[in-house]
Structure formats: structure tokens, C-alpha cells
Amino acid sequence: MTDLVVRALTESDAHLFRNLQDPGLAGRAAFGHSYATVHEGGEYRPEWTWVALRDGVVVARAAWWSGPDDTEPVTLDWFDFADGEDEAGSELLRRAPLYAEYELMLPADWRERPDVAAAAESRIAAARAAGMEPLVERYRYEWTPECGLPERPGRLVFRPEPDDAVILDVLRRVHSVTLDAHARRAIEGPGGLEQAAQEELDFFHWCPSPRSWWQLAYTPDGEVVGIHVPARNPGGPCIGFIGVVPEQRGHGYGYDLLVECTHFLAAEGAESIAGATDRGNAPMAAAFARAGHRVIQERIHLV
């Protein structure tokens, strides 16, 4: 077998990325997306797009994604390889000097489709061979006007909070007891709980939606219940964050927050609202289902 050439693409040869025959689960292609560089009107940068070539033929490819103003990749969200080229895929990830969480995007019914399940398992195995490990599986939701707006329960009072210090304090309280795998990973690191809260706040600021949209929720007596963050990310409107402080749990308030967040974004003209939660977060998954948000994808995160 001839030696493998691993390199980044350039604007002049970015078309090579599209030369690999779809091997069964081609990154975002499975969901109607096509690879295009920023110059071509797409989302990808050639210098963050790498290929592995054998005899000049692309046998593996990876594209890292970011927002338009980011100086480093945010996620690896396109990674695949030709049949029998698993090791080429792993070698591509080892050699590319880019580091970001890998989001393997899968259809919601992937477990019932043997071909898709096999393709997913091969990508996970190749990523693990390159040093990554699975962190969590997540549901990806979508709400559209056809789903209908859920009725507001009317139990809580919502107010904007302009002070980041207040927001950060609520986030600390929310994450002090959490089912969220990303938050738990941050808490287990050197930054602890403070890091987990700061990462959420940084994400809120990263979103290009107005700061004034962030709201805290209170009982009629003025006790803090939690926070909801309607947002827009580069892909469109989304449920940026839903969190209930530990002492207020057990009352189903996560649903109230999600309903308010949905109403807020719908009032802003959203025709589609994205959302996500960990598969292991049963209370939040139940809230999404009750509020009419449909599971349209599952994502496996590797770090």
C-alpha cells in the first residue's frame, strides 16, 4: 500500500473534499448539507479542512467548524473515510494540528438502521484510535410553528438580568448538582464549578443574539428558580440554555422555562428552533417532548 499524504486544503483545491464517495454517513451530507468554503458561501475554512490522500486520491477527510469570528475551531463535525481506510482516518486526526470536540451527527433512528449503525461505530473506533473518547450522546430537537406553541403554565415571573455576575452566580448554583456531561467534565477539571459556569456564560456571549434576551425566572414570592436563554447561534434560533437551581427542582419548572424560551423565540419570528439535551437527562428530555419539540438527530460527542 502506498504512503499516505495528509495535508490541509487550500481555496484552489477545496473541491478535493467533495471527491470522496459517500461511504455511508458522510458528515453533514446525511442531513442535506454540502461542503463549501467561506469563499464559496459556505461555513468551512480550507486551512481547517484536512484530507488523507493515497496515490492522489482522497481516502479520508475531516472538516473543523467555527463561527465567523472564531480564531480556533469549535467542533470537528465532518469526519469520514473510504471503505477499508479506517486507519487513514485515524492517521488524519493524529496528524492534523487541530483540536476540538468531535460531534458525530446521526439520524434519530440510527440504532434501527444496521448500515448507519455500522458507519457510526467505524467513525467512533477511528476517532478512539486517534486518542479521542466518547463523552456523551445527545438528542437534537427542532420546533417549528407546525408543532404548535405550548400553553404557558403561568407559574413563574420572568425578568431580564443585565448583570453578568448575577447570571454567573445562578449558573454556579445550577451546575452544583447537574446531569449535564459537559458541565460535569468541566467541574472535574482544574477549574471546577467556576469553570463550568464560566463556559456557559462564554457560550451565551458567543451567540450573536442580543444580551437583553437572557432571563431569570422567579416564583411569585421572588425566589430565584432558574434561567432560560433564548439565542441565535450561527445556524439560527436555538434554546441556548435551560437551568433550574437545585432547591427548586422537583416541580417541573424546567418545562416552564422551556415553554417561555419557545414563546420568546417564536415572538421574535423564529420559523425553526433548535434544542439539545443529554440522553441521560430524562427530566429535560421529557420537557422537550411535552413542549412539542421533535427529536430530529442524535449526536455522539467525543473529546
Side-chain angles (χ1 to χ4, degrees), residues 1-7 9 15-26 50-62 78-93 95 122-123 126:
M1 187 174 288
T2 57
D3 290 341
L4 200 66
V5 175
V6 177
R7 66 175 178 85
L9 294 177
H15 64 277
L16 288 175
F17 191 86
R18 297 184 281 268
N19 286 357
L20 178 62
Q21 186 70 26
D22 178 358
L25 187 63
W50 283 63
V51 294
L53 303 103
R54 201 182 300 281
D55 292 330
V57 177
V58 175
V59 295
R61 60 187 178 181
W78 202 318
F79 170 56
D80 55 10
F81 38 84
D83 289 342
E85 292 286 1
D86 306 50
E87 177 54 32
S90 298
E91 188 65 17
L92 169 60
L93 295 185
R95 292 196 206 175
S122 70
R123 279 155 186 72

Side-chain angles (χ1 to χ4, degrees), residues 249-289:
R249 293 176 190 168
H251 305 289
Y253 286 141
Y255 175 76
D256 300 48
L257 293 165
L258 177 60
V259 168
E260 188 64 25
C261 203
T262 304
H263 272 267
F264 188 102
L265 289 167
E268 291 291 328
E271 291 297 318
S272 175
I273 301 171
T277 197
D278 292 3
R279 279 179 58 90
N281 192 338
M284 200 64 233
F288 271 109

Side-chain angles (χ1 to χ4, degrees), residues 45 47-48 64-75 97-100 206:
R45 308 182 196 187
E47 66 272 23
W48 291 352
W64 283 260
W65 177 89
S66 74
D69 299 322
D70 290 318
T71 58
E72 296 180 354
V74 174
T75 61
L98 300 166
Y99 305 95
W206 176 83

Side-chain angles (χ1 to χ4, degrees), residues 172-183:
R172 289 190 201 96
R173 293 165 64 183
V174 168
H175 281 328
S176 65
V177 181
T178 182
L179 295 173
D180 185 89
H182 285 88

